[in-house]
Amino acid sequence: MISLFSINDYQIDTSKFNNLLHGHIVHEFEQAFAEYVGAKYACFANSASSLLFLSLLKYNTTIQLPSTIPAVVPNVVINTGNKIWFYN
């Protein structure tokens, strides 16, 4: 059989995390990731929606979105105080 994918079997020791999964190990990972990509800072969140929310907070503008986008994206845009203009 030909193996098309090589998937590593990683295990995470969750005893090193605090109650919100943002302990010292996450801070170390953020620093290492920032160094790896050449950025000054890195920020991790529990979902893409959370990161989108953080990135749109201070714009207060109209954001263009395709009309076929999942509902969660316009919801985040509205919750950050922005307006939406849909296009096809």
Side-chain angles (χ1 to χ4, degrees):
M1 175 186 267
I2 299 172
S3 178
L4 296 177
F5 301 101
S6 176
I7 300 173
N8 297 322
D9 186 23
Y10 294 113
Q11 293 185 5
I12 298 173
D13 182 11
T14 57
S15 66
K16 295 181 180 179
F17 296 120
N18 65 6
N19 62 340
L20 297 175
L21 299 178
H22 284 84
H24 183 65
I25 193 168
V26 175
H27 180 68
E28 290 176 5
F29 185 72
E30 287 174 341
Q31 287 180 333
F33 185 81
E35 288 177 20
Y36 179 76
V37 298
K40 189 173 181 179
Y41 302 106
C43 176
F44 287 86
N46 64 337
S47 68
S49 297
S50 295
L51 293 171
L52 184 60
F53 180 85
L54 291 173
S55 67
L56 294 175
L57 269 176
K58 295 191 176 187
Y59 280 104
N60 196 21
T61 188
T62 301
I63 298 176
Q64 297 181 17
L65 296 175
S67 59
T68 58
I69 200 151
V72 67
V73 176
N75 186 37
V76 169
V77 171
I78 291 170
N79 286 331
T80 56
N82 295 290
K83 295 178 183 175
I84 300 172
W85 183 74
F86 288 108
Y87 65 91
N88 288 331

